Amino acid sequence: MGALDTRPPESVEPVPPPDPGGSRRGRALPWLVLGAWLAVLLLALPFAGRLGDATADEGVAYLPDSAESTEVARLTELLPGGDTTDLLLVQQRPGGLTAADRELAGRRLAEIAERFELTAGGPGDAGLTSADGATALYPFALGELAEEARAEAVGEIRELLAGPPAGLTMALGGGGALGVDAEAVFESIDVTLMLATAGIVALLLVVTYRSPLLWLVPLVAVGVAAVAAMAVVYGLVRLFDLTVTTMSSSVMTVLIFGAGTDYALLLVARYREELRRRPAAGEAMRAALRGCGPALLASSGTVSLGLLCLLAADLNSSSGLGPVGAVGVLCALAVMVTLLPALLVLLGRGVFWPLVPRFGAPAPAGRGSFFARLGSSVSRRPVAILVAGSLFLGVLSLGALRLPGPLGELDNFTDRPDSVRAMELVADAFPERSGQPITVLADAEHAARVVELALATEGVAEAEPARAGGGWREIEVFAADPPESAGERATVAALRERLAELPAARAVVGGPTAQAMDLSSTSARDQLLVIPLVLLVVLLVLGVLLRSLVASVLLLAAVVASWGAAMGLGGLVFGPVLGFAGLDPQVPLLSFVFCVALGVDYGIFLMHRMREEVLGGVSTRAAALAALRTTGGVIASAGVVLAATFCVLAGMPMVVMAEMGFVVAVGVLLDTFLVRTYLVTSASWLLDRRVWWPGRLARRPAVPVRAGGVG
């Protein structure tokens, strides 16, 4: 995480004589900073509260900007009836539906028609019965409704369908019900995520600091950063029409709590050291900021630049996540270098009670000795440790071969809502016909010809015109193969190829399966573009900080290996253990960006500390052990906090969040406790001064070092 000053007391600059004028200014500054942040908080709160209303979770927000299926989704909303709520009443009785069952469906549809304006279906609709007579579905559509009214309508209809006779299942499905259930899940995520993340961070801070008060100070600072970030993001939405989804706002929350707490851990650790060296809290904090400032700037800069690389992605949710995440990290940085220091200085040494750092007291022995022992083992067996660790990561990476296939639309939720269960009944009973057809939009003048071409396409079972308006005609196409199967995907591809033969029709193909195909192909293209861009940006940052190509490549390779191993472990866990039916196409790219941008910070911290030691006159091998000893404890704590915050995502009810949270958390832990501690240190030991090539430190004569210690 950059040039954090962890030099032992004897290497720190002498304490300057007291300056009465400076002391007065120093006492006033924390109050001014606190007042400024209170003003910011008062201004930001109203705008932060509006971010939830500005999030976009409709299908288009999670689709590629330039995809054909995205154009269909946008145009469909503009057609007459595009804002209708399409629903399916599904009945099922094992052994076959009875006449009484069908009469009940007719009564329920009549009651629905009495309460709501129907634009399709309703009383008198004979419905569609499965071949075995056990399942029937009745499609109908409600007129245009606002979002809240739509949710209320779906809830009322479900109440009407509740309590069917014994043996009969009645459920509500269709695109409208799926949308309402998805929105309910999204609304539940914000509060749950915030409370869970705050609780975990609070617990870890209490364990780390062992103080009844100190843990609360960073938590308050993180909360202020979260409010400020939400207000800034809301402003970006209004000014630049930025796409912000629930997923991106959730990730921003996790980043603020994780990265912000990491910054607090580094600052407080350095401040505690300075309090033992300096008599006044203000002086100690200024010294701590001088030491931590480059580290925090390097950390936030690396993460922010890595996230901004996502702007190059074509996927709307991914490209929007870049600036949203960067805002969160930068707000966390701003608070941790201004508000947190002010609060700590105003509270004085007593905030550390009962472990109060006294002026002139020696630093207590603790984690440094533990990491010194680890360094001793590295110096005795560097080759064995490097080879064994690399093989371990390589074997874990092979698990990626077992990653599940693409995630289907009905498999997006970890807990299946009612609408998903209804659609599963439809899929089982009508494998030849999806409840949500392939949607084709074409120029109205050529609609008849488009229907002919669709019917002539291999794999198409039915094609019929539907809504029209604005010069467009909607055509519903049903594949012969089950929904979202390989056969239906082949049908979509063949349909697009066939309709391209009639360019005048301007036909575009959409629908759930087409969207999944476009999402998968666009994600693959985004990976080919964004991943090299992230690697290049991070490599440049490392090169500037470390002035070494070898060290930069070493750190970059290490975090990529951590990500590969984490993805491999996901392949062993997602399907067999967690029961996920597929891998969301966004997970590889987003987890890569987070694992590399966040993980490389810990490597920067270790390597930059090594560089400081070498500049101080010790050998590279001695510097590697000293860096591990002095940085091990605080970075281990930071890694655990960051991983824990991403573990909260793994508990969310959306599969994409759970998968991404798992991969990033595992990647951070691997980097913290294996890659940084053992592999980077052992590789640096073996490379010796060559690790600094082509910098001037590579040309320094080697200094002998005793095995297991600093020479």
Side-chain angles (χ1 to χ4, degrees):
M1 289 193 176
L4 179 60
D5 188 355
T6 53
R7 290 172 291 178
E10 61 270 15
S11 64
V12 177
E13 70 272 11
V15 178
D19 175 8
S23 298
R24 287 193 296 271
R25 290 191 299 270
R27 286 194 296 269
L29 183 59
W31 289 108
L32 291 174
V33 171
L34 180 59
W37 273 109
L38 285 175
V40 169
L41 193 60
L42 290 174
L43 290 173
L45 273 172
F47 299 103
R50 298 177 191 172
L51 180 59
D53 298 331
T55 55
D57 288 313
E58 64 272 10
V60 173
Y62 291 92
L63 292 175
D65 188 59
S66 60
E68 194 170 311
S69 60
T70 308
E71 185 178 0
V72 171
R74 288 171 177 157
L75 289 172
T76 301
E77 293 180 357
L78 301 178
L79 294 179
D83 289 335
T84 59
T85 304
D86 298 325
L87 300 170
L88 285 174
L89 191 161
V90 183
Q91 277 190 317
Q92 185 182 69
R93 181 185 291 276
L97 293 167
T98 66
D101 294 336
R102 297 182 183 278
E103 290 177 5
L104 178 61
R107 290 199 302 273
R108 293 293 179 261
L109 288 171
E111 292 172 0
I112 293 170
E114 289 177 2
R115 297 192 185 190
F116 305 100
E117 176 188 353
L118 301 187
T119 60
D125 192 333
L128 183 65
T129 305
S130 62
D132 60 2
T135 306
L137 61 88
Y138 303 86
F140 63 99
L142 306 182
E144 295 185 10
L145 294 170
E147 185 176 308
E148 292 184 4
R150 182 182 295 115
E152 292 175 0
V154 169
E156 288 185 32
I157 293 172
R158 282 178 171 154
E159 290 179 3
L160 285 175
L161 302 181
L168 177 66
T169 298
M170 295 187 72
L172 188 67
L178 284 169
V180 168
D181 287 341
E183 188 62 33
V185 170
F186 286 131
E187 289 177 356
S188 70
I189 285 175
D190 287 339
V191 175
T192 303
L193 183 72
M194 182 72 75
L195 293 177
T197 307
I200 285 181
V201 169
L203 176 62
L204 292 173
L205 287 174
V206 169
V207 172
T208 300
Y209 290 139
R210 290 171 290 173
S211 167
L213 179 60
L214 180 58
W215 66 272
L216 190 58
V217 183
L219 197 61
V220 168
V222 168
V224 172
V227 171
M230 287 189 286
V232 172
V233 170
Y234 177 78
L236 293 177
V237 172
R238 292 304 178 206
L239 290 174
F240 303 105
D241 197 26
L242 181 69
T243 298
V244 179
T245 64
T246 295
M247 185 184 75
S248 58
S249 64
S250 299
V251 169
M252 181 183 73
T253 299
V254 168
L255 278 175
I256 293 170
F257 275 84
T261 307
D262 277 5
Y263 300 159
L265 286 169
L266 294 175
L267 177 63
V268 172
R270 188 69 181 92
Y271 177 52
R272 189 197 296 264
E273 293 179 12
E274 294 296 339
L275 284 173
R276 298 190 186 98
R277 302 168 185 165
R278 300 171 188 271
E283 295 175 5
M285 182 54 73
R286 286 193 291 273
L289 285 172
R290 284 196 298 271
C292 285
L296 302 185
L297 288 173
S299 171
S300 59
T302 303
V303 177
S304 299
L305 289 173
L307 286 169
L308 288 175
C309 291
L310 286 171
L311 285 169
D314 187 40
L315 194 62
N316 288 328
S317 55
S318 295
S319 61
L321 175 58
V324 170
V327 166
V329 171
L330 294 176
C331 285
L333 172 71
V335 169
M336 293 307 164
V337 298
T338 55
L339 178 60
L340 179 62
L343 291 173
L344 290 173
V345 169
L346 291 174
L347 291 170
R349 296 174 187 267
V351 74
F352 288 92
W353 186 87
L355 304 175
V356 179
R358 303 295 182 186
F359 174 55
R367 292 173 180 169
S369 59
F370 171 75
F371 285 97
R373 291 194 296 273
L374 291 183
S376 177
S377 66
V378 169
S379 65
R380 288 195 302 269
R381 294 179 294 274
V383 175
I385 288 174
L386 182 60
V387 171
S390 300
L391 286 175
F392 176 71
L393 292 177
V395 170
L396 278 184
S397 299
L398 294 177
L401 299 175
R402 296 181 58 84
L403 284 167
L407 190 68
E409 182 190 29
L410 299 183
D411 299 316
N412 281 323
F413 307 96
T414 55
D415 296 324
R416 299 213 181 287
D418 292 339
S419 58
V420 170
R421 289 192 286 270
M423 299 308 292
E424 288 173 340
L425 292 176
V426 173
D428 292 338
F430 302 93
E432 76 286 352
R433 181 184 179 113
S434 171
Q436 297 188 79
I438 302 168
T439 303
V440 176
L441 287 181
D443 185 279
E445 295 182 4
H446 299 82
R449 178 57 180 156
V450 169
V451 171
E452 293 177 5
L453 289 174
L455 289 171
T457 302
E458 183 178 357
V460 172
E462 300 178 38
E464 52 192 33
R467 293 173 294 182
W472 292 93
R473 189 69 185 264
E474 180 183 351
I475 300 164
E476 293 184 343
V477 178
F478 294 90
D481 293 286
E484 299 187 274
S485 64
E488 190 181 35
R489 290 194 292 272
T491 300
V492 169
L495 187 60
R496 283 176 167 172
E497 185 176 349
R498 176 60 64 90
L499 296 182
E501 298 174 4
L502 188 63
R506 298 182 294 163
V508 284
V509 179
T513 298
Q515 290 174 358
M517 293 170 61
D518 290 341
L519 179 61
S520 181
S521 60
T522 301
S523 295
R525 288 198 302 271
D526 284 349
Q527 290 174 34
L528 293 176
L529 174 63
V530 176
I531 286 179
L533 187 59
V534 171
L535 292 174
L536 177 61
V537 167
V538 173
L539 186 63
L540 289 175
V541 172
L542 290 174
V544 171
L545 286 173
L546 303 176
R547 297 171 179 82
S548 164
L549 178 61
V550 173
S552 301
V553 171
L554 172 62
L555 292 185
L556 199 56
V559 291
V560 171
S562 298
W563 169 76
M567 286 293 295
L569 195 57
L572 302 176
V573 169
F574 289 159
V577 178
L578 300 179
F580 296 159
L583 178 72
D584 191 283
Q586 304 173 77
V587 170
L589 175 60
L590 297 182
S591 64
F592 178 87
V593 172
F594 287 120
C595 282
V596 170
L598 294 169
V600 80
D601 288 343
Y602 301 145
I604 290 173
F605 186 34
L606 177 74
M607 194 65 71
H608 203 287
R609 184 70 182 92
M610 284 174 53
R611 190 171 187 276
E612 287 181 350
E613 291 287 341
V614 173
L615 289 172
V618 302
S619 70
T620 296
R621 289 183 169 179
L625 304 185
L628 180 61
R629 182 184 69 252
T630 55
T631 67
V634 66
I635 294 303
S637 299
V640 169
V641 168
L642 187 61
T645 55
F646 272 93
C647 279
V648 176
L649 273 186
M652 291 295 102
M654 301 292 294
V655 171
V656 60
M657 293 185 182
E659 290 176 338
M660 186 170 67
F662 177 89
V663 173
V664 176
V666 170
V668 169
L669 290 176
L670 285 173
D671 185 76
T672 301
F673 293 104
L674 173 62
V675 173
R676 179 187 59 87
T677 304
Y678 287 105
L679 302 191
V680 172
T681 303
S682 59
S684 301
W685 175 280
L686 292 171
L687 288 168
D688 199 4
R689 59 179 176 171
R690 291 184 295 274
V691 77
W692 307 115
W693 186 89
R696 60 185 178 87
L697 294 182
R699 297 185 290 275
R700 282 196 174 190
V703 178
V705 58
R706 296 189 305 272
V710 176

